[in-house]
Amino acid sequence: MSASTIEWTEEFTRAVQRLIDASVDDYYNPYRTFEWPESVEPADLWMSRDLLSVHGTAMERELTPEQLLELSRWESVNLYSMIAHGIRELLIEVMRRIHTPGYEIPTPYFHHFIGEENEHMWFFAEFCLRYAGRIYPDRRMVFPAAERSPEMNNFIVFSQILIFEMIGDHYNARMASDESLPETVRAVNRIHHRDESRHIAFGGQLVSALLDEVRRKHTAEEVEEVAQYLRGYIDLIMQMLCSRDAYADAGIPEPGRFRAAVMADPARAEATARITRRTVNFYRRIGLFA
């Protein structure tokens, strides 16, 4: 867990202070911000159509308009459930590092980050519980932790946080601006996107600094190994967005077969490339991905 050798630059220190100031200036009380109607209009899509996992695939043409509406509802619930579970895990990791040796510079911003992420977890879970009656379980596969150095582990942890935030933000930004969606759907995505813009800026700076430390202490082969690991993590997140649970709740017969067909469709590969482009480009820019 040690981070005592991280070299925080003056640029990073200034960026942390700017983000703290922005968090203070933009602070809001989420428990008073949202107006929760009794229901969200069931005749409206709950997710932008171009974000649905089936968009452009052959399987989309098999669905009736009613099934597409239902799928938009449950894929929205799947996304928000993923965000809630992801936030829980990232909070655990950040809490392990706050006020520890080596993290003196980012720790003041960690306090704002923790507070904001806790509030995000609350309002996404609240949406799911109010309008769907449940949160989907966490479907991520858990593998035994590999034996890694502290600096490699730190880099992977904060990279996973950043990857998850960047992919989620692609959905949030699109739905926040989609006027065809119910206002309640747009509101939760709009507010999350606003806060995540700061978190992603911070995460990019942090991950870059952590990668520099990894490169100082590890071989090129070891760095390439972690690059492959993170590519696999990106793929895992995208696979989770094709949810067997959502297909089943939308009334689609043989949801397992349907999911396999969606994931194998060329249109899904194109959507994955589009959704992850910002994330992949970031890791290319810092020299991790070729």
Side-chain angles (χ1 to χ4, degrees):
M1 193 71 70
S2 170
S4 58
T5 62
I6 300 175
E7 297 178 1
W8 305 113
T9 64
E10 284 296 321
E11 179 187 5
F12 181 86
T13 303
R14 289 193 297 270
V16 167
Q17 189 55 56
R18 287 196 300 271
L19 291 166
I20 291 171
D21 293 342
S23 291
V24 172
D25 291 342
D26 290 346
Y27 180 74
Y28 61 94
N29 183 340
Y31 306 102
R32 296 184 181 276
T33 297
F34 292 100
E35 296 181 6
W36 300 106
E38 285 298 312
S39 63
V40 176
E41 179 52 60
D44 292 337
L45 290 170
W46 286 19
M47 178 179 281
S48 301
R49 182 157 180 168
D50 57 298
L51 293 178
L52 294 177
S53 64
V54 298
H55 181 65
T57 68
M59 307 309 288
E60 182 180 27
R61 295 189 289 276
E62 292 188 8
L63 302 180
T64 66
E66 292 75 22
Q67 284 176 317
L68 272 175
L69 280 175
E70 276 297 293
L71 182 60
S72 77
R73 167 180 171 144
W74 293 108
E75 289 207 336
S76 183
V77 170
N78 180 56
L79 173 65
Y80 303 158
S81 299
M82 284 175 60
I83 291 173
H85 292 309
I87 290 172
R88 182 187 63 243
E89 298 306 312
L90 73 83
L91 286 176
I92 290 169
E93 295 296 346
V94 173
M95 289 293 287
R96 284 175 175 157
R97 291 161 173 81
I98 193 169
H99 291 298
T100 62
Y103 283 98
E104 293 85 358
I105 299 300
T107 279
Y109 184 68
F110 281 162
H111 284 284
H112 295 277
F113 180 92
I114 289 166
E116 290 167 0
E117 289 293 358
N118 180 59
E119 291 165 352
H120 299 163
M121 180 166 53
W122 171 77
F123 63 68
F124 279 119
E126 185 72 7
F127 182 99
C128 293
L129 293 172
R130 278 179 180 266
Y131 303 123
R134 62 195 175 103
I135 299 172
Y136 280 159
D138 189 352
R139 297 297 191 194
R140 284 175 298 175
M141 294 176 290
V142 178
F143 299 100
E147 289 294 328
R148 295 191 182 95
S149 65
E151 62 274 4
M152 190 70 85
N153 188 50
N154 290 331
F155 172 70
I156 288 172
V157 162
F158 283 104
S159 282
Q160 288 177 326
I161 291 173
L162 181 62
I163 288 166
F164 191 83
E165 288 182 324
M166 292 179 97
I167 292 174
D169 191 58
H170 179 92
Y171 284 77
N172 297 148
R174 173 72 182 99
M175 288 195 278
S177 64
D178 188 346
E179 295 182 358
S180 71
L181 300 180
E183 176 54 29
T184 304
V185 172
R186 295 184 68 196
V188 295
N189 283 279
R190 181 169 56 245
I191 291 177
H192 194 235
H193 172 59
R194 185 182 71 182
D195 290 346
E196 288 299 274
S197 297
R198 291 193 300 274
H199 295 183
I200 290 169
F202 172 74
Q205 295 267 2
L206 181 59
V207 163
S208 296
L210 294 173
L211 179 58
D212 289 342
E213 185 191 26
V214 166
R215 284 186 170 129
R216 287 196 301 271
K217 296 185 176 181
H218 291 270
T219 66
E221 290 76 16
E222 289 170 324
V223 173
E224 175 58 24
E225 183 181 341
V226 80
Q228 293 303 317
Y229 177 87
L230 292 178
R231 284 188 178 276
Y233 184 75
I234 292 171
D235 290 341
L236 175 62
I237 297 301
M238 294 308 302
Q239 291 167 20
M240 290 170 61
L241 288 162
C242 297
S243 167
R244 187 187 185 284
D245 292 331
Y247 299 144
D249 285 334
I252 296 171
E254 299 184 76
R257 179 197 65 83
F258 187 89
R259 179 178 186 269
V262 169
M263 292 179 63
D265 194 289
R268 188 59 194 165
E270 293 169 7
T272 294
R274 182 175 64 254
I275 292 165
T276 63
R277 184 175 295 122
R278 178 187 182 193
T279 307
V280 171
N281 284 345
F282 167 78
Y283 280 96
R284 285 176 176 159
R285 192 162 58 249
I286 64 174
L288 185 67
F289 291 176

